[in-house]
């Protein structure tokens, strides 16, 4: 907004003032006024001293983050915003990493490991200022949470920003372990929850989360709710009567298809960072107003994160029309390719027949076959396989064998016996793009209901479905041990901003099948109407799959939503490093990074600056490695992929700051820790070879126009 001044000044002063006004209007030599972006709401800020509280560990330090006991609340059902923040950082940090010393915490990574990789005796607390605000269009319906952390070590003469968009459906602290790299480097970190988040709208009691995780009645919150399901009073009353004690989650039920905007909101986080940095460090004009001193021409900006947060970073790089991003370094990104990407993927000398499927496509496929495939004798020695069989194939609860039989009844399997059906289901997963190295992960992912959770959330989101639609008969609620819907414990709800992952089952909220033969019940315990047995809700899984493959109105709605999320492959010549674990069973490399790399080369040709690092013995969930008593065998088989994200970030920063060449595309062949499952020896540097500047010929990934060949 322009200002008018009526002050009597001498001619010389008037000349100076005129020059200042020209500068403020962009008419001088780079003196543009710093301006708050119009989409930003009220900006809250909080300083942290780096002792009692801090940006990275919420005051807990390296030791507190590793502690088995989570931080609590002074008043159990009335947590403060500070207490919720502390628990959110604790939960999200631990959800991303193996927190055991044997797995590398405290030696290879962790708050006490400095930017140069040196192990220090400190706790790794980082002083600085945290800024948080909603991005919205004025309706209060979007309210994407953006956050910027500026460490006290930030040096405007060496300005840098890193993005850390939340992974999965988590809240704004959902990529704190990526942000850690930036904080240690003295970079500002730009976070976005990308329109997702862990805290739900409690429809029965009509309470909603606020930006800081505290809860309020929907009426009192108004447009300041982080999420409101948007039902009319009549719709909500009818919904509660028909399906009481249910919850709506933002990712699933916002009606926004937030994935289409993940790139844009990541870019907004960068703009937010520039705004707060210039408010603090920008030069002043003669009127004392802050100027836009820090800008893309003098600031290094790296887009980063993991999983679909990494996908958001890639989308941001593709959509960056202002030159905000200098480089990209991401891990295991979720990327949606064009319907006909026109690429080929080879492993060794073999072309793979099924590649480049969307997340909702391959996940609904996994949702069908994974419970049955997990019984395959050929993978019976894999982590959790024995426990899976004992829990889901027992005489008392034979839901996995029942799923096998239901698939045969539906014409989706041909084998006659459960054992043969399980092997056939496993082979169908391999034929649909999962690498053989992923096979040993199916049992644990099935037991944790990963595929149904992701399928239901994304199906709702992409379809822009309302919670009242109960898409494919699914809803979210608390449940008894027997599976009956029940009110959620109050303590679980008040802390869910901190403890939830936004993709139920989570923090006591279960996935519910509303269409069970005996009424609504927890999904995997429900009895199907058609079969009369508990078969892991096969009708629901078939319904979700039909949304991807069918042609009815519901299917067309989802497919239209998918089309809004597809990426172009054009990174605009930005230097990029993607690291991905070969064994990833959640985001298989054949549907994500491998074909994206080929697409990028087809689109950008010789201008491409994308390097792909595929890491053997690495999968999607580093935190699972750190659960030796629950998931023995992860520790002996898998290495922490997080180390390679840090190395990719190091390489990208060195490239942008010092001109060092990026490493070429390659396979990094790690060495598993081995030993006895649950008792693997401590990891050593030798287990984690460096990303090579000149990889051996047998490790080079060859990329040509529209094609990628990855060595065995």
């Amino acid at each position: 907004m322009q200002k008018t001044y009526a002050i009597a000044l001498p001619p010389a002063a008037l000349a100076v003032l005129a020059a200042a006004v020209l500068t403020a209007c962009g008419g001088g030599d780079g003196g543009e006024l710093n301006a708050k972006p119009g989409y930003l709401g009220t900006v809250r800020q909080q300083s942290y001293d780096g002792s009692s509280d801090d940006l990275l560990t919420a005051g807990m330090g390296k030791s507190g983050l590793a502690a088995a006991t989570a931080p609590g609340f002074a008043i159990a059902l009335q947590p403060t915003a500070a207490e919720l923040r502390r628990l959110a950082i604790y939960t999200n940090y631990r959800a991303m990493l193996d927190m055991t010393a044997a797995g590398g915490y405290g030696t290879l990574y962790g708050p006490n490991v400095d930017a140069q990789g040196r192990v220090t005796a400190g706790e790794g607390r980082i002083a600085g200022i945290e800024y948080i605000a909603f991005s919205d269009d004025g309706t209060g319906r979007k309210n994407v949470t953006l956050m910027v952390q500026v460490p006290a070590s930030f040096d405007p003469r060496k300005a840098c920003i890193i993005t850390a968009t939340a992974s999965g459906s988590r809240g704004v602290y959902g990529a704190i372990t990526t942000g850690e790299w930036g904080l240690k480097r003295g970079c500002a970190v730009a976070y976005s929850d990308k329109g997702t988040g862990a805290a739900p709208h409690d429809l029965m009691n009509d309470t909603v989360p606020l930006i800081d995780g505290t809860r309020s009645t929907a009426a009192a919150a108004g447009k300041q709710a982080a999420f409101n399901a948007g039902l009319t009073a009549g719709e909500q009353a009818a919904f509660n009567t028909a399906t009481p004690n249910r919850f709506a989650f933002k990712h699933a039920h916002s009606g926004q298809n937030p994935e289409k905007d993940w790139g844009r909101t990541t870019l907004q986080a960068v703009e937010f960072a520039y705004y707060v940095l210039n408010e603090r460090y920008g030069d002043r004009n003669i009127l004392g107003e802050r100027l836009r001193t820090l800008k893309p021409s003098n600031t290094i900006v790296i887009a980063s994160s993991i999983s679909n947060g990494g996908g958001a970073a890639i989308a941001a790089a593709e959509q960056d029309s202002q030159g905000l991003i200098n480089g990209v370094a991401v891990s295991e990104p979720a990327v949606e390719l064009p319907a006909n990407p026109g690429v080929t993927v080879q492993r060794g000398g073999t072309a793979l027949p099924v590649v480049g499927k969307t997340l909702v496509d391959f996940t609904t496929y996994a949702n069908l076959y994974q419970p049955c495939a997990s019984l395959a004798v050929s993978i019976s020695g894999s982590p959790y396989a024995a426990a899976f069989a004992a829990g889901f194939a027992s005489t008392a609860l034979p839901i996995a064998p029942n799923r096998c039989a239901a698939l045969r009844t539906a014409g989706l399997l041909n084998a006659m016996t459960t054992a043969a059906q399980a092997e056939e289901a496993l082979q169908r997963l391999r034929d649909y793009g999962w690498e053989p190295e992923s096979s040993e992960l199916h049992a644990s992912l099935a037991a944790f209901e990963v595929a149904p959770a992701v399928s239901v959330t994304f199906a709702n989101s992409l379809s822009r479905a309302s919670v009242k639609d109960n898409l494919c008969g699914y809803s979210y609620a608390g449940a008894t041990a027997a599976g009956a819907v029940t009110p959620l414990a109050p303590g679980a709800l008040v802390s869910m901003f901190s403890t939830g992952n936004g993709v139920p089952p989570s923090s006591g909220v279960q996935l519910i099948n509303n269409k069970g033969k005996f009424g609504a019940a927890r999904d995997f315990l429900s009895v199907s109407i058609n079969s009369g047995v508990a078969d892991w809700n096969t009708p629901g899984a078939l319904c979700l799959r039909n949304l991807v493959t069918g042609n009815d109105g519901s299917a067309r709605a989802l497919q239209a939503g998918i089309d809004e999320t597809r990426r172009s492959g054009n990174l605009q010549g930005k230097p990029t490093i993607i690291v991905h674990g070969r064994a990833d069973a959640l985001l298989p490399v054949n549907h994500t990074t491998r074909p994206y790399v080929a697409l990028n080369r087809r689109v950008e040709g010789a201008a491409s600056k994308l390097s792909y690092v595929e890491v053997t013995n690495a999968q999607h969930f580093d935190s699972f490695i750190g659960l030796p008593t629950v998931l023995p065998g992860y520790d002996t088989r898998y290495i922490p992929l997080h180390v390679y994200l840090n190395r990719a970030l190091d390489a990208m920063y060195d490239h942008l700051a010092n001109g060092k060449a990026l490493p070429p595309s390659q396979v990094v062949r790690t060495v598993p820790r081995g030993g006895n499952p649950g008792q693997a020896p401590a990891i050593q540097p030798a287990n984690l070879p460096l990303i090579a500047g000149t990889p051996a010929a047998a490790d080079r990934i060859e990329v040509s126009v529209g094609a990628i060949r990855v060595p065995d």
Side-chain angles (χ1 to χ4, degrees), residues 174-322:
I176 189 71
T177 55
T178 302
E180 177 177 10
W181 182 93
L183 294 174
K184 290 176 178 177
R185 283 275 184 180
C187 301
V189 184
Y191 299 85
S192 168
D193 73 359
K194 63 184 194 307
T196 61
H201 184 170
D202 177 356
L203 296 163
M204 199 73 184
N205 298 297
D206 204 20
T207 65
V208 295
L210 302 177
I211 195 170
D212 59 7
T214 58
R215 298 190 67 82
S216 164
T217 63
K223 291 184 179 181
Q224 295 307 306
F227 169 60
N228 185 308
L231 305 182
T232 67
E235 288 172 335
Q236 192 162 329
F239 180 85
N240 286 334
T241 298
T243 50
N245 301 308
R246 299 309 204 269
F247 297 91
F249 283 80
K250 190 169 186 176
H251 190 174
H253 299 130
S254 70
Q256 304 288 325
N257 188 13
E259 187 175 354
K260 70 177 175 37
D261 296 322
W262 286 353
R264 182 174 67 87
T265 55
T266 298
L267 291 168
Q268 287 182 341
V270 176
E271 292 173 335
F272 185 19
Y274 271 121
Y275 169 66
V276 300
L277 289 171
N278 281 308
E279 282 297 285
R280 184 168 178 82
Y281 299 105
D283 296 337
R284 295 185 186 271
N285 64 15
I286 196 171
L287 304 177
E289 298 165 312
R290 289 289 190 182
L291 301 177
R292 193 168 179 264
T293 306
L294 297 175
K295 45 194 164 184
S297 60
N298 58 24
T299 305
I300 291 175
V301 178
I302 302 174
S304 186
S305 191
I306 66 173
S307 195
N308 60 29
I314 287 173
E318 289 189 355
Q319 297 164 13
D320 181 16
S321 60
Q322 303 177 69

Side-chain angles (χ1 to χ4, degrees), residues 580-584 615-620 637-641 670:
H580 208 137
R582 176 173 283 185
D584 197 329
V615 183
T616 66
N617 307 304
Q619 45 83 48
H620 200 83
R637 290 170 168 83
Y638 303 116
I639 57 86
L641 189 60
T670 66

Side-chain angles (χ1 to χ4, degrees), residues 546-614:
N546 181 70
L547 295 175
V548 177
T549 63
N551 194 39
D552 56 32
S554 296
R556 290 194 299 273
L558 178 135
Q559 292 157 20
I562 290 174
D563 287 341
E564 293 181 305
T565 70
R566 298 185 188 274
R567 308 307 176 205
S568 69
N570 186 1
L571 290 166
Q572 306 186 70
K574 299 182 189 295
T576 300
I577 303 176
I578 302 176
V579 299
H580 208 137
R582 176 173 283 185
D584 197 329
L586 178 68
L587 298 175
V589 288
N590 289 324
H591 294 306
T592 51
T593 299
R594 286 177 177 177
Y596 184 84
V597 173
L599 176 66
N600 168 260
R601 184 63 63 87
R602 184 172 72 79
V603 172
E604 291 197 73
S608 172
K609 298 178 182 176
L610 169 58
S611 292
Y612 171 40
V613 178
E614 185 166 296

